[in-house]
Amino acid sequence: MSTKGDGTRAVRAGLPEPRQYEPTLPGPVFAAHYHLSGEPTGPYTYGRDGNPTWTRLEQAIGELEAPGEDVETTVFASGMAAISAVLLSQARSGDAVVLPDDGYQALPLLRDQLEAYGVEVRTAPTGGDAQLAVLEGAKLLWLETPSNPGLDVCDVRRLVEAAHAGGTLVAVDNTLATPLGQRPLELGADFSVASDTKGMTGHGDLLLGHVTCRAPELTAGVRRWRKIAGAIPGPMEAWLAHRSLATLELRIERQCANALALAEVLSKHQAVSGLRYPGLPTDPSYANAVRQMRRFGSVVSFVLGDRGTAERFLAALRLVEDATSFGGVRSTAERRGRWGGDAVPAGFIRFSVGAENAADLVADVEQALAAATAGS
């Protein structure tokens, strides 16, 4: 196990050995094909199969997912490409998989596709480890913790132990926590999956995803699916992601501290109900979160009285962009119900806390709440 701090690992992850007069992080390799004589036994043969820029990023993410351990990471063109690769590379007709029924909004689309292929899909909520009740005989258990957008946290160790006892593989969507907040492989999971569009890269300017595994045979299946589907990242996106990892700890530390500060203020506001943040001691998920998480993420959710109040609140914000996604250095918020598909009240707000000064952000939220509730 590496003893280096998170910041040190983040700024040095995946860097090649130093060579005189060469950059510390070489630029992106743009190549559809490579010089290739004789038998194709080298690491780079064709651009859909491999790229040196991907390799560096995959090594970097692996160093963050499981410091000092032998793991393999596969990068993808988006988070959904990574999620799909795990589920569709593992499940066969006649298998059963268990998904959360309160997870990412696109999971129902994937459920429909799995069922079209003859896979039985069972669902249960994240909270209360409810997926245990539908686990028996499943090929794969999919966990999303903290869940998006409800921010419930399940006991990963408990679920992994039960799953593995029955021969079930476990994948954890770790998007909201990032490896600096939670390490699913250390908790026993077989796959750690994330949309790196979010907190990992943190600037809202690229789409990317990854899957990290310990078992080479699981990585082989995931990489085979990437090759079949062609769900590969561009070299520029991979290079930008690697560059962005250097500030991961700086960003996450600030964002998590800001999120807790905002949650504490919201917890005292009479117009706010249904507040969720796993790092808040009063949160229903706090006990689970402190056992398995090192940082609690940048997302806070809460409910305002109705759709109109929520929309007035969003319109009154000055430092916060009304946008979807989360994990970026600039705070964003949205009325989540506008998309449909999430079982949330009309006034439900998902707030992604950025890296602004906490006092400025809190002041902006307070004035927006005052404007939204004036006269009510």
Side-chain angles (χ1 to χ4, degrees):
M1 181 67 66
S2 172
T3 59
K4 293 184 176 68
D6 286 341
T8 302
R9 287 187 297 103
V11 299
R12 302 209 59 82
L15 297 181
E17 289 296 317
R19 297 182 64 179
Q20 189 76 345
Y21 310 122
E22 293 195 3
T24 55
L25 179 61
V29 174
F30 298 99
H33 58 263
Y34 305 86
H35 291 294
L36 187 67
S37 59
E39 295 299 317
T41 57
Y44 306 112
T45 58
Y46 183 63
R48 190 180 67 252
D49 298 335
N51 180 291
T53 311
W54 303 352
T55 299
R56 293 187 194 98
L57 176 60
E58 289 170 343
Q59 290 171 345
I61 293 173
E63 290 172 23
L64 299 175
E65 286 276 11
E69 299 188 41
D70 187 13
V71 298
E72 292 181 280
T73 296
T74 306
V75 291
F76 288 86
S78 69
M80 275 307 297
I83 292 169
S84 300
V86 173
L87 286 161
L88 296 174
S89 71
Q90 298 304 312
R92 303 287 185 272
S93 179
D95 287 341
V97 300
V98 177
L99 303 180
D101 64 12
D102 54 349
Y104 180 53
Q105 186 190 46
L107 279 180
L109 300 176
L110 195 48
R111 173 182 182 167
D112 291 345
Q113 193 62 57
L114 288 164
E115 290 176 335
Y117 290 155
V119 176
E120 177 191 356
V121 180
R122 308 168 189 163
T123 63
T126 299
D129 301 339
Q131 289 168 286
L132 285 171
V134 293
L135 183 59
E136 185 175 358
K139 175 68 178 295
L140 177 70
L141 168 63
W142 187 272
L143 306 178
E144 184 180 302
T145 181
S147 61
N148 172 31
L151 302 182
D152 275 318
V153 175
C154 61
D155 186 337
V156 176
R157 290 186 184 90
R158 181 188 182 201
L159 286 154
V160 165
E161 183 178 354
H164 286 175
T168 301
L169 295 168
V170 180
V172 176
D173 184 333
N174 200 42
T175 300
L176 198 144
T178 81
L180 268 61
Q182 181 173 261
R183 295 183 187 142
L185 299 184
E186 289 186 2
L187 299 172
D190 301 287
F191 304 88
S192 180
V193 189
S195 169
D196 301 320
T197 307
K198 314 294 196 299
M200 282 287 277
T201 57
H203 291 81
D205 54 7
L206 58 86
L207 298 177
L208 206 75
H210 81 265
V211 178
T212 303
C213 310
R214 279 200 182 90
E217 65 273 17
L218 297 180
T219 295
V222 167
R223 290 194 171 174
R224 180 175 181 272
W225 184 262
R226 180 178 69 179
K227 179 176 181 176
I228 293 169
I232 60 172
M236 190 66 189
E237 285 78 6
W239 185 85
L240 284 169
H242 196 169
R243 184 203 62 172
S244 297
L245 288 181
T247 61
L248 179 60
E249 192 221 23
L250 297 172
R251 292 185 279 107
I252 295 297
E253 281 285 305
R254 179 66 166 262
Q255 290 171 260
C256 291
N258 282 356
L260 180 58
L262 179 61
E264 289 171 343
V265 169
L266 291 171
S267 70
K268 301 177 177 67
H269 201 288
Q270 62 182 9
V272 171
S273 63
L275 174 68
R276 297 301 304 270
Y277 182 65
L280 201 63
T282 54
D283 189 89
S285 287
Y286 181 75
N288 267 345
V290 295
R291 281 196 298 268
Q292 67 193 27
M293 299 183 73
R294 299 160 57 238
R295 296 174 177 87
F296 302 108
S298 62
V299 178
V300 177
S301 68
F302 55 96
V303 179
L304 297 178
D306 53 29
R307 173 175 178 166
T309 305
E311 291 181 347
R312 288 194 299 274
F313 167 74
L314 294 168
L317 291 166
R318 295 293 174 261
L319 297 179
V320 182
E321 299 162 359
D322 190 345
T324 194
S325 199
F326 59 85
V329 292
R330 290 176 291 278
S331 290
T332 62
E334 68 172 338
R335 191 182 69 81
R336 191 62 186 166
R338 65 181 175 176
W339 296 100
D342 290 316
V344 296
F348 182 97
I349 300 292
R350 186 181 71 180
F351 198 113
S352 173
V353 183
E356 298 89 356
N357 289 110
D360 295 334
L361 186 60
V362 166
D364 190 37
V365 169
E366 288 179 326
Q367 68 80 23
L369 284 171
T373 57
S376 63

